[in-house]
Amino acid sequence: MRKQVQRSQKAYWSIQPVYGAQHPPLDPQLTKNFIKERSKVNTVPLKNKKASSFHEFARNTSDAWDIGDDEEEDFSSPSFQTLNSKVALATAAQVLENHSKLRVKPERSQSTTSDVPASYKVIKSSSDAQLSRNSSDTCLRNPLHKQQSLPLRPIIPLVARISDQNASGAPPMTVREKTRLEKFRQLLSSHNTDLDELRKYSWPGVPREVRPITWRLLSGYLPANTERRKLTLQRKREEYFGFIEQYYDSRNEEHHQDTYRQIHIDIPRTNPLIPLFQQPLVQEIFERILFIWAIRHPASGYVQGINDLVTPFFVVFLSEYVEEDVENFDVTNLSQDMLRSIEADSFWCMSKLLDGIQDNYTFAQPGIQKKVKALEELVSRIDEQVHNHFRRYEVEYLQFAFRWMNNLLMRELPLRCTIRLWDTYQSEPEGFSHFHLYVCAAFLIKWRKEILDEEDFQGLLMLLQNLPTIHWGNEEIGLLLAEAYRLKYMFADAPNHYRR
C-alpha cells in the first residue's frame, strides 16, 4: 500500500504500460544511454539479431515508462542540457525562418481564394461549414500550397474517410455500375425478393444507394415480402424503444453499474479520428444500443470489442438520410424520428450478427480460441514458410489474431473497407464466423514479404499490430475476398488437406 502511495505522488507525466497498446513502451536504458550510443556505429547486422521470446519482450518492457523505478536517472545532466539547448536554438531559428517566408500581402491571399469556382463553396452541413472555414483560413495564411485549384472540402485524415467509390465526390458511375444498381432495385422492389439472387449480386459489393435496405434483408431483420416490411419495421422499432423504457434506467443499479461503466469508457474510443462518432448525441445512441444488448444477453454480457460492431450499421443506416459524406455530418440536423429509426435498426442488425458469433464473447471466449487455432492450422498448410517463421521467433497466433477475431478486422482496416467487407460477409453462409477465418488467412499471407523481412519477435509483433492499410479501398478488399474464397474452396470441404 505504501508503494502505491509513493507511485501516485510521482511526476504527473509518468506513464504506466497498458495491455494491448499498439506500440510497446520505450526501454529506459535507451533513454539513459541515448547520447553515448548515438555516437557509436552499429556494426552488428540486423539479420544476426537474437530472437527474443514473448516473455523476454514482456519483461524488458514491464514498467518501462515508470520514472519512479529508475530514480537514479538524471535528466538534468550536462549532456541532456546541451542537447536540449541545441535543439531549442535550431528549432527557434527554423520557426523564425518559416514565419518570415509565409508573410504575404493580404491582396495576394484574397486573389488566391477568389480563383476557387463558386460551385465549390456550397456547404452541405454545419460541421462542413466549420471545417471549410478552417480550410479557407489556412489558405489565407499559406498561399504557397496550390489550394486554389481544389474544392473547399473538409480535410479529414485518410484513415477516417468513410466514403467508398460510389459515394459523393467520386467520379460518375460507369455503365456497368448503373446496370448493377438497376438490377438491385428490381430485386428489392419485387413482391417477394429472391434472397439467394440478392446474395449473389451483393457478394462483389452493394451500391451505396441501396445498401441500407439490402443489409436489413440479408441480416434477416426484414422479410422478403415487400408488403410486410413496413409493419415489421414499425413493430421492431417500437419493441426496441420498449426495451429502453423497461431496462435503461437500471444502468445505475448496482448489478449493472460495471457493465454501463465499461460501455461508457469504451464509446469515446470508438473510431476516435472520425468526427461523427465524437458527437455526444451519437455516443448516447451507442450507449443505449450496447447496454440493452448486454442485459438481454446475460450469457456473454458486454465485452470490449462489441462497441466496434455497431459502427458499420450506424453509418450505413445514417447514409439513407444523408447525401453527402457522413464522417462530418452533424446528426442534430436529423429529425427525432430519423434518429430513432437509425438507432433501432442498428440494434437489431447488430443483434442478428452477434447471434451467429456469440461464443466469441461468452466466458473465456471459446469461439475466438477455436478460430485462432484453426487459423494457425490453415496457415501451416497454405504457407509453411510464414508459419515456421512465426515458430522460429516464438510468435503465437493468439498474440495478434485474437484482435482479428474479436473485432472482425475492424481495428486493422479503415471503416470504409469494413463496410465493403460486410457486404460479402452478409452474402456468405456463416460469413462472420466461418468465411472470416479464410479472410484472416488471406490477410495474413498478403503481408508475407514484410513478415519474412522481420527477424525478431518485437519487429514481427509491431508489424502485425500496425499493418499499413490506411490507403486501402474497394479494390484491395475485392482482391482480399477473392483470395479468401479461393482458400475456402480449396480447404473448407477438404479436411484431409486442412489438417496434417
Side-chain angles (χ1 to χ4, degrees):
M1 180 65 185
R2 189 173 181 180
K3 177 68 173 175
Q4 292 176 349
V5 172
Q6 289 176 350
R7 282 174 176 267
S8 66
Q9 294 174 346
K10 292 173 185 175
Y12 67 90
W13 41 270
S14 177
I15 303 174
Q16 302 298 319
V18 179
Y19 174 76
Q22 287 193 341
H23 303 285
L26 184 66
D27 191 327
Q29 295 303 317
L30 295 179
T31 304
K32 185 175 181 181
N33 301 318
F34 176 75
I35 304 299
K36 182 169 64 179
E37 294 296 322
R38 263 182 83 97
S39 61
K40 296 180 180 180
V41 178
N42 186 5
T43 57
V44 181
L46 184 63
K47 304 285 184 184
N48 296 332
K49 290 177 69 177
K50 182 182 178 182
S52 58
S53 71
F54 175 72
H55 298 291
E56 291 171 344
F57 173 67
R59 185 169 61 251
N60 290 338
T61 58
S62 177
D63 251 353
W65 285 2
D66 187 2
I67 303 300
D69 288 345
D70 302 291
E71 293 180 356
E72 74 278 2
E73 194 74 79
D74 185 10
F75 288 101
S76 61
S77 63
S79 60
F80 271 94
Q81 290 177 354
T82 304
L83 174 66
N84 290 340
S85 300
K86 290 181 179 179
V87 171
L89 289 172
T91 304
Q94 187 64 43
V95 169
L96 290 171
E97 182 182 355
N98 291 343
H99 183 70
S100 62
K101 287 180 180 179
L102 297 179
R103 295 184 65 183
V104 294
K105 294 182 181 181
E107 291 79 13
R108 183 180 174 186
S109 300
Q110 292 168 4
S111 64
T112 302
T113 55
S114 65
D115 292 339
V116 180
S119 60
Y120 289 139
K121 298 183 180 180
V122 176
I123 296 171
K124 297 178 179 179
S125 70
S126 59
S127 55
D128 282 352
Q130 180 63 39
L131 286 170
S132 295
R133 284 197 295 272
N134 294 341
S135 300
S136 61
D137 290 344
T138 304
C139 291
L140 288 172
R141 289 194 301 270
N142 188 2
L144 299 178
H145 297 288
K146 296 182 179 180
Q147 298 280 359
Q148 63 269 25
S149 61
L150 300 174
L152 288 176
R153 294 178 60 81
I155 298 174
I156 302 170
L158 183 59
V159 71
R161 295 291 297 178
I162 297 174
S163 307
D164 60 19
Q165 283 135 352
N166 293 329
S168 60
M173 284 194 294
T174 63
V175 174
R176 181 176 177 274
E177 288 171 335
K178 288 180 179 178
T179 304
R180 288 191 75 241
L181 178 58
E182 186 58 33
K183 180 62 179 177
F184 268 94
R185 285 177 170 154
Q186 289 175 7
L187 278 169
L188 296 169
S189 61
S190 61
H191 181 69
N192 279 297
T193 299
D194 186 337
L195 293 181
D196 290 335
E197 192 75 3
L198 185 63
R199 290 188 187 97
K200 185 178 77 173
Y201 276 90
S202 299
W203 206 101
V206 181
R208 183 179 188 266
E209 294 83 353
V210 293
R211 186 175 275 140
I213 181 67
T214 302
W215 276 27
R216 290 189 189 102
L217 285 163
L218 293 179
S219 67
Y221 174 44
L222 272 189
N225 187 287
T226 53
E227 294 177 355
R228 294 174 50 209
R229 290 177 192 169
K230 185 176 181 181
L231 288 175
T232 300
L233 279 178
Q234 182 180 345
R235 177 174 56 82
K236 298 297 284 185
R237 289 167 180 172
E238 289 175 356
E239 185 179 356
Y240 168 73
F241 284 101
F243 295 152
I244 296 290
E245 292 179 10
Q246 184 177 357
Y247 299 119
Y248 194 58
D249 287 341
S250 69
R251 67 190 183 279
N252 297 318
E253 296 176 4
E254 185 176 354
H255 57 292
H256 288 151
Q257 277 184 352
D258 290 342
T259 296
Y260 180 73
R261 186 184 299 114
Q262 189 60 59
I263 291 171
H264 189 72
I265 290 170
D266 288 348
I267 293 300
R269 302 172 180 172
T270 306
N271 293 294
L273 295 177
I274 301 179
L276 172 69
F277 299 113
Q278 301 312 306
Q279 298 177 40
L281 188 56
V282 173
Q283 294 185 356
E284 290 170 12
I285 289 172
F286 277 41
E287 284 184 2
R288 288 194 292 269
I289 290 173
L290 293 169
F291 182 77
I292 296 301
W293 187 88
I295 63 174
R296 294 190 73 247
H297 295 81
S300 61
Y302 173 76
V303 177
Q304 286 180 294
I306 295 179
N307 55 305
D308 287 332
L309 306 184
V310 186
T311 56
F313 292 115
F314 183 83
V315 166
V316 167
F317 297 139
L318 175 62
S319 69
E320 198 167 22
Y321 304 98
V322 180
E323 291 185 1
E324 65 262 31
D325 299 338
V326 301
E327 52 264 46
N328 266 325
F329 184 75
D330 184 353
V331 296
T332 60
N333 292 327
L334 296 179
S335 69
Q336 189 67 22
D337 287 343
M338 291 176 181
L339 288 171
R340 286 169 65 90
S341 298
I342 294 168
E343 179 176 347
D345 293 356
S346 299
F347 169 81
W348 286 115
C349 287
M350 185 196 75
S351 298
K352 292 286 187 181
L353 185 162
L354 288 170
D355 284 348
I357 57 171
Q358 193 170 354
D359 63 340
N360 284 9
Y361 305 106
T362 53
F363 179 73
Q365 299 183 266
I368 290 179
Q369 297 195 47
K370 289 177 184 175
K371 291 182 179 73
V372 171
K373 184 62 178 175
L375 177 66
E376 182 176 358
E377 292 177 356
L378 181 58
V379 173
S380 72
R381 302 303 296 167
I382 63 179
D383 198 323
E384 191 173 7
Q385 187 177 4
V386 167
H387 179 71
N388 290 336
H389 193 71
F390 286 152
R391 294 182 65 182
R392 178 183 179 188
Y393 295 104
E394 301 181 18
V395 174
E396 300 290 339
Y397 283 75
L398 200 63
Q399 291 162 357
F400 63 89
F402 179 89
R403 189 171 76 180
W404 295 11
M405 303 300 178
N406 189 61
N407 300 83
L408 298 177
L409 287 176
M410 287 193 65
R411 298 290 177 91
E412 327 310 319
L413 299 170
L415 183 53
R416 60 183 177 273
C417 295
T418 297
I419 291 172
R420 167 62 192 91
L421 190 67
W422 286 20
D423 287 343
T424 301
Y425 279 5
Q426 295 187 89
S427 307
E428 274 280 330
E430 299 181 316
F432 290 97
S433 54
H434 186 62
F435 187 63
H436 180 67
L437 167 67
Y438 297 97
V439 171
C440 288
F443 186 65
L444 180 63
I445 302 306
K446 166 76 174 67
W447 309 103
R448 74 180 312 275
K449 181 182 182 300
E450 291 82 356
I451 288 169
L452 295 175
D453 285 344
E454 294 290 343
E455 297 197 343
D456 62 56
F457 174 86
Q458 182 172 344
L460 281 165
L461 220 57
M462 290 281 286
L463 170 67
L464 292 166
Q465 291 179 352
N466 299 277
L467 292 166
T469 61
I470 185 174
H471 296 284
W472 278 32
N474 286 359
E475 183 178 352
E476 289 79 5
I477 295 298
L479 293 172
L480 178 70
L481 288 166
E483 177 62 15
Y485 185 82
R486 186 185 71 85
L487 294 175
K488 179 191 171 188
Y489 183 81
M490 290 175 62
F491 292 98
D493 299 319
N496 291 334
H497 295 283
Y498 181 77
R499 300 179 183 274
R500 290 186 181 278

